[in-house]
Amino acid sequence: MKKKALGLVSLVAAGTLLLGACSGGGRGADTAETNGEAGFAADATIGVALPWLGTQNWKEADELFKSELEAAGFKPLVQAADNKVTQQQQQIEAMIEQGAKVIVVGAVDGTQLGSVLEKAADSGVAIIGYDRLIENTTAIDGVVQFGSVRTGELQGQSLLDGLAERKGAGPYNIELFGGGPADPNAPDFFEGAMSVLQPKIDDGTLTVVSGQTDFTQAATPDWDNAKAQARMDSLLSGFYSDKQIDGVLSPNDGIARAILASSKQAGQELPVVSGLDAENESIVSIWAGEQFATVAKPSADLVGRSVELIQTLQKGEDLPAPDETVNNGKKDVAIYQLDPVVVTKSNAEEVFANDPARLALLK
Ligand code: BGC
């Protein structure tokens, strides 16, 4: 695993060097002038291709990558793709043309980047997946993320905890929402959540009144809050005109707030709703006793870890041993994993103790 990152970079460098005298490791083409051993220049261009800026975490990533890469001495080239695969492919092509040495990618669609990333790897560019896995390609050196299945488990558990805390003894009526099907995180979040919820569905503690328990039925195209709200409206009018809904699994905070808005409009007592991202608006909602929980996965930590990996590559070193590997259909990908944390009203002050901007929302 450890060799992988430089494997891609060195392969190309080695190819160039085959014709000439080759010495010590073959880091040739882009060696920094000041450092004969460097992987690439200390002020190299680093590309960052984000999927969209539609949720707070991606806006934070956009700003943090610009400032952190610049602070580390690199030239950041950060772009977002408005959730469109072709746009992201073109942005990555342009980053290759502009000489990026590493491209960090939050994929719009984990399966659609194979050829452009292979082109990048062939030009000696290292690829780091950001937050989302990149599937079906060997052109990926590592992924920095909060474990997606683990995140889903926390979402499922927070829903169960919230039901016990707010809705008395079961059984409980619930509904299930998933994220955008093109995003490889979305089925993983759902799988993690269902590993916690399914046994409770099987033993009768939970009833999914609509019967819509498959990811394909629960998914929210493009992570679009309005589409989630429309689905919630029809679930409530179709299945809950004579019933209380007690809880809803939500894959992120934007969808959680859409579910709560729909429930209010339908005159329901607010259901317990899970979330993700610790978005400002959801922190306010949690503090006000509406949304029950979110899962925090701080962008600052994710960007910080990505920049560390880029610095390792810049020095010409191998990436560190991964926390785990995940098979993406073509190879076992190195995963650098951070720990997600459930946030409710009871622990919010503690979780955000070192995050002044979020702490300020708790009032
Ligand atoms: C990210 C979430 C985000 C969602 C929609 C997912 O891949 O992990 O943080 O809410 O995309 O943008």
Side-chain angles (χ1 to χ4, degrees):
M1 287 313 314
K2 275 179 33 184
K3 292 269 169 215
K4 218 167 275 174
L6 275 182
L8 290 170
V9 176
S10 310
L11 210 67
V12 173
T16 351
L17 288 172
L18 271 180
L19 297 173
C22 181
S23 70
R27 298 183 192 104
D30 300 302
T31 299
E33 276 144 36
T34 49
N35 181 350
E37 289 304 308
F40 50 81
D43 63 352
T45 296
I46 306 296
V48 180
L50 302 175
W52 69 327
L53 299 178
T55 50
Q56 189 175 327
N57 64 305
W58 298 112
K59 289 180 206 148
E60 290 168 346
D62 180 61
E63 286 161 18
L64 287 164
F65 269 118
K66 285 175 185 154
S67 58
E68 303 273 308
L69 285 170
E70 213 162 275
F74 297 114
K75 289 187 203 75
L77 183 55
V78 184
Q79 295 193 309
D82 202 19
N83 254 337
K84 297 196 176 64
V85 170
T86 329
Q87 194 172 330
Q88 185 162 57
Q89 288 164 339
Q90 287 162 355
Q91 288 173 340
I92 294 173
E93 294 260 2
M95 289 172 192
I96 304 170
E97 273 156 35
Q98 290 178 57
K101 295 298 171 221
V102 180
I103 303 181
V104 176
V105 182
V108 170
D109 182 329
T111 62
Q112 298 297 315
L113 294 175
S115 40
V116 68
L117 293 185
E118 270 137 37
K119 186 170 167 188
D122 289 347
S123 333
V125 181
I127 310 294
I128 297 177
Y130 177 86
D131 191 77
R132 301 177 172 182
L133 184 65
I134 301 170
E135 297 161 300
N136 283 324
T137 178
T138 55
I140 169 82
D141 296 318
V143 175
V144 183
Q145 66 165 201
F146 289 83
S148 306
V149 175
R150 174 76 190 130
T151 299
E153 289 166 5
L154 294 178
Q155 293 176 320
Q157 189 57 50
S158 67
L159 176 59
L160 285 183
D161 293 346
L163 288 167
E165 190 177 313
R166 287 198 182 160
K167 300 287 177 182
Y172 309 107
N173 295 331
I174 67 160
E175 293 299 331
L176 307 168
F177 281 69
D183 171 2
N185 278 341
D188 286 355
F189 292 157
F190 195 77
E191 179 196 324
M194 288 308 274
S195 71
V196 175
L197 300 177
Q198 190 64 52
K200 299 291 175 189
I201 295 173
D202 294 342
D203 76 10
T205 308
L206 302 175
T207 306
V208 181
V209 175
S210 67
Q212 296 175 16
T213 54
D214 288 341
F215 174 71
T216 45
Q217 297 169 305
T220 306
D222 303 321
W223 286 97
D224 183 335
N225 299 343
K227 289 178 186 153
Q229 188 155 345
R231 175 165 176 256
M232 187 66 187
D233 289 345
S234 59
L235 288 172
L236 290 174
S237 61
F239 299 97
Y240 291 88
S241 54
D242 58 350
K243 282 186 201 67
Q244 183 64 42
I245 181 160
D246 300 308
V248 184
L249 174 74
S250 168
N252 78 354
D253 283 347
I255 292 176
R257 296 192 302 274
I259 290 165
L260 288 166
S262 168
S263 308
K264 276 185 197 170
Q265 264 170 34
Q268 286 270 347
E269 185 188 299
L270 288 186
V272 170
V273 184
S274 64
L276 176 68
D277 291 336
E279 289 198 349
N280 293 353
E281 282 183 70
S282 282
I283 293 169
V284 170
S285 170
I286 289 170
W287 199 246
E290 298 203 334
Q291 186 174 328
F292 179 74
T294 185
V295 176
K297 51 192 257 304
S299 306
D301 296 350
L302 216 49
V303 171
R305 189 79 179 107
S306 308
V307 173
E308 280 170 17
L309 296 182
I310 294 166
Q311 288 173 316
T312 302
L313 294 173
Q314 188 280 320
K315 287 186 215 130
E317 294 167 8
D318 286 357
L319 290 180
D323 301 302
E324 64 166 337
T325 59
V326 165
N327 193 282
N328 75 345
K330 286 269 174 73
K331 79 186 258 193
D332 290 330
V333 180
I335 306 285
Y336 299 94
Q337 196 156 305
L338 302 166
D339 286 328
V341 178
V342 174
V343 188
T344 62
K345 191 168 179 178
S346 353
N347 70 351
E349 282 169 316
E350 197 188 314
V351 175
F352 300 134
N354 298 317
D355 186 341
R358 285 181 166 83
L359 199 58
L361 300 168
L362 310 177
K363 51 180 190 312

mmCIF file of all heavy atoms in Angstrom, residues 57-58 61 78 80-81 104 131 156 163 229 249 278 297 303 310 339 362:
data_model
loop_
_atom_site.group_PDB
_atom_site.id
_atom_site.type_symbol
_atom_site.label_atom_id
_atom_site.label_comp_id
_atom_site.label_asym_id
_atom_site.label_seq_id
_atom_site.Cartn_x
_atom_site.Cartn_y
_atom_site.Cartn_z
ATOM 1 N N ASN A 57 -20.244 22.033 4.010
ATOM 2 C CA ASN A 57 -18.925 21.375 4.058
ATOM 3 C C ASN A 57 -18.098 21.658 2.813
ATOM 4 O O ASN A 57 -16.886 21.834 2.890
ATOM 5 C CB ASN A 57 -19.089 19.857 4.249
ATOM 6 C CG ASN A 57 -19.796 19.195 3.089
ATOM 7 O OD1 ASN A 57 -20.889 19.589 2.713
ATOM 8 N ND2 ASN A 57 -19.175 18.195 2.482
ATOM 9 N N TRP A 58 -18.742 21.711 1.647
ATOM 10 C CA TRP A 58 -17.986 21.949 0.412
ATOM 11 C C TRP A 58 -17.561 23.405 0.316
ATOM 12 O O TRP A 58 -16.497 23.710 -0.223
ATOM 13 C CB TRP A 58 -18.788 21.509 -0.816
ATOM 14 C CG TRP A 58 -19.092 20.032 -0.808
ATOM 15 C CD1 TRP A 58 -20.334 19.451 -0.667
ATOM 16 C CD2 TRP A 58 -18.153 18.942 -0.912
ATOM 17 N NE1 TRP A 58 -20.215 18.082 -0.681
ATOM 18 C CE2 TRP A 58 -18.901 17.736 -0.831
ATOM 19 C CE3 TRP A 58 -16.778 18.873 -1.063
ATOM 20 C CZ2 TRP A 58 -18.293 16.475 -0.898
ATOM 21 C CZ3 TRP A 58 -16.168 17.616 -1.130
ATOM 22 C CH2 TRP A 58 -16.928 16.440 -1.047
ATOM 23 N N ALA A 61 -14.588 23.599 2.429
ATOM 24 C CA ALA A 61 -13.433 22.987 1.752
ATOM 25 C C ALA A 61 -12.854 23.942 0.726
ATOM 26 O O ALA A 61 -11.632 24.105 0.617
ATOM 27 C CB ALA A 61 -13.848 21.675 1.088
ATOM 28 N N VAL A 78 -8.460 25.803 -7.221
ATOM 29 C CA VAL A 78 -9.617 25.141 -6.604
ATOM 30 C C VAL A 78 -10.866 25.439 -7.420
ATOM 31 O O VAL A 78 -11.180 26.595 -7.674
ATOM 32 C CB VAL A 78 -9.810 25.636 -5.141
ATOM 33 C CG1 VAL A 78 -10.948 24.891 -4.453
ATOM 34 C CG2 VAL A 78 -8.516 25.494 -4.344
ATOM 35 N N ALA A 80 -15.129 24.086 -8.360
ATOM 36 C CA ALA A 80 -16.277 23.247 -8.007
ATOM 37 C C ALA A 80 -17.118 23.030 -9.263
ATOM 38 O O ALA A 80 -17.143 23.887 -10.151
ATOM 39 C CB ALA A 80 -17.106 23.914 -6.929
ATOM 40 N N ALA A 81 -17.821 21.883 -9.321
ATOM 41 C CA ALA A 81 -18.405 21.458 -10.600
ATOM 42 C C ALA A 81 -19.928 21.517 -10.690
ATOM 43 O O ALA A 81 -20.506 20.976 -11.618
ATOM 44 C CB ALA A 81 -17.949 20.052 -10.923
ATOM 45 N N VAL A 104 -6.586 16.962 -5.935
ATOM 46 C CA VAL A 104 -7.460 16.464 -4.871
ATOM 47 C C VAL A 104 -8.867 16.458 -5.458
ATOM 48 O O VAL A 104 -9.301 17.464 -6.030
ATOM 49 C CB VAL A 104 -7.395 17.410 -3.650
ATOM 50 C CG1 VAL A 104 -8.360 16.967 -2.565
ATOM 51 C CG2 VAL A 104 -5.968 17.507 -3.119
ATOM 52 N N ASP A 131 -13.017 13.136 0.841
ATOM 53 C CA ASP A 131 -14.340 12.880 1.428
ATOM 54 C C ASP A 131 -15.104 11.735 0.746
ATOM 55 O O ASP A 131 -15.811 10.991 1.396
ATOM 56 C CB ASP A 131 -15.189 14.165 1.435
ATOM 57 C CG ASP A 131 -16.457 14.017 2.277
ATOM 58 O OD1 ASP A 131 -16.351 14.071 3.514
ATOM 59 O OD2 ASP A 131 -17.538 13.817 1.686
ATOM 60 N N GLY A 156 -27.695 6.120 12.261
ATOM 61 C CA GLY A 156 -28.737 5.167 12.681
ATOM 62 C C GLY A 156 -28.865 5.135 14.193
ATOM 63 O O GLY A 156 -29.974 5.169 14.746
ATOM 64 N N LEU A 163 -35.239 8.620 19.482
ATOM 65 C CA LEU A 163 -36.587 8.061 19.664
ATOM 66 C C LEU A 163 -36.798 7.705 21.130
ATOM 67 O O LEU A 163 -37.840 8.034 21.717
ATOM 68 C CB LEU A 163 -36.765 6.830 18.764
ATOM 69 C CG LEU A 163 -36.891 7.137 17.267
ATOM 70 C CD1 LEU A 163 -36.750 5.866 16.429
ATOM 71 C CD2 LEU A 163 -38.233 7.832 16.968
ATOM 72 N N GLN A 229 -37.748 17.180 0.287
ATOM 73 C CA GLN A 229 -38.953 17.749 0.899
ATOM 74 C C GLN A 229 -40.205 17.279 0.156
ATOM 75 O O GLN A 229 -41.208 16.929 0.768
ATOM 76 C CB GLN A 229 -38.868 19.289 0.911
ATOM 77 C CG GLN A 229 -39.997 19.925 1.703
ATOM 78 C CD GLN A 229 -39.645 21.312 2.238
ATOM 79 O OE1 GLN A 229 -38.475 21.703 2.260
ATOM 80 N NE2 GLN A 229 -40.648 22.051 2.663
ATOM 81 N N LEU A 249 -34.662 8.908 9.287
ATOM 82 C CA LEU A 249 -33.225 8.837 9.022
ATOM 83 C C LEU A 249 -32.913 9.838 7.920
ATOM 84 O O LEU A 249 -33.451 9.730 6.817
ATOM 85 C CB LEU A 249 -32.838 7.430 8.550
ATOM 86 C CG LEU A 249 -31.368 7.302 8.117
ATOM 87 C CD1 LEU A 249 -30.439 7.292 9.332
ATOM 88 C CD2 LEU A 249 -31.154 6.046 7.279
ATOM 89 N N ALA A 278 -22.899 19.079 10.744
ATOM 90 C CA ALA A 278 -22.896 20.172 11.732
ATOM 91 C C ALA A 278 -22.959 21.517 11.020
ATOM 92 O O ALA A 278 -22.139 22.411 11.257
ATOM 93 C CB ALA A 278 -21.669 20.079 12.640
ATOM 94 N N LYS A 297 -18.190 16.231 10.987
ATOM 95 C CA LYS A 297 -16.994 15.735 10.288
ATOM 96 C C LYS A 297 -16.239 16.978 9.791
ATOM 97 O O LYS A 297 -16.369 17.371 8.624
ATOM 98 C CB LYS A 297 -17.353 14.749 9.164
ATOM 99 C CG LYS A 297 -18.400 15.237 8.191
ATOM 100 C CD LYS A 297 -18.893 14.113 7.295
ATOM 101 C CE LYS A 297 -18.358 14.089 5.889
ATOM 102 N NZ LYS A 297 -18.554 15.285 5.086
ATOM 103 N N VAL A 303 -9.305 18.848 5.375
ATOM 104 C CA VAL A 303 -8.400 19.626 4.517
ATOM 105 C C VAL A 303 -6.978 19.557 5.095
ATOM 106 O O VAL A 303 -6.010 19.348 4.363
ATOM 107 C CB VAL A 303 -8.880 21.096 4.399
ATOM 108 C CG1 VAL A 303 -7.840 21.957 3.690
ATOM 109 C CG2 VAL A 303 -10.209 21.155 3.654
ATOM 110 N N ILE A 310 -0.152 15.998 0.803
ATOM 111 C CA ILE A 310 0.449 16.699 -0.339
ATOM 112 C C ILE A 310 1.893 17.082 0.011
ATOM 113 O O ILE A 310 2.806 16.940 -0.811
ATOM 114 C CB ILE A 310 -0.388 17.950 -0.703
ATOM 115 C CG1 ILE A 310 -1.759 17.509 -1.222
ATOM 116 C CG2 ILE A 310 0.332 18.822 -1.735
ATOM 117 C CD1 ILE A 310 -2.789 18.623 -1.308
ATOM 118 N N ASP A 339 -12.244 10.573 12.599
ATOM 119 C CA ASP A 339 -13.393 10.064 13.366
ATOM 120 C C ASP A 339 -14.565 11.033 13.391
ATOM 121 O O ASP A 339 -14.435 12.136 13.911
ATOM 122 C CB ASP A 339 -12.972 9.798 14.822
ATOM 123 C CG ASP A 339 -12.114 8.552 14.922
ATOM 124 O OD1 ASP A 339 -12.333 7.631 14.109
ATOM 125 O OD2 ASP A 339 -11.235 8.520 15.795
ATOM 126 N N LEU A 362 -24.629 28.580 19.824
ATOM 127 C CA LEU A 362 -25.339 27.944 20.940
ATOM 128 C C LEU A 362 -25.729 29.005 21.957
ATOM 129 O O LEU A 362 -25.038 29.232 22.934
ATOM 130 C CB LEU A 362 -24.448 26.880 21.607
ATOM 131 C CG LEU A 362 -23.807 25.878 20.661
ATOM 132 C CD1 LEU A 362 -22.903 24.920 21.412
ATOM 133 C CD2 LEU A 362 -24.886 25.084 19.914
#
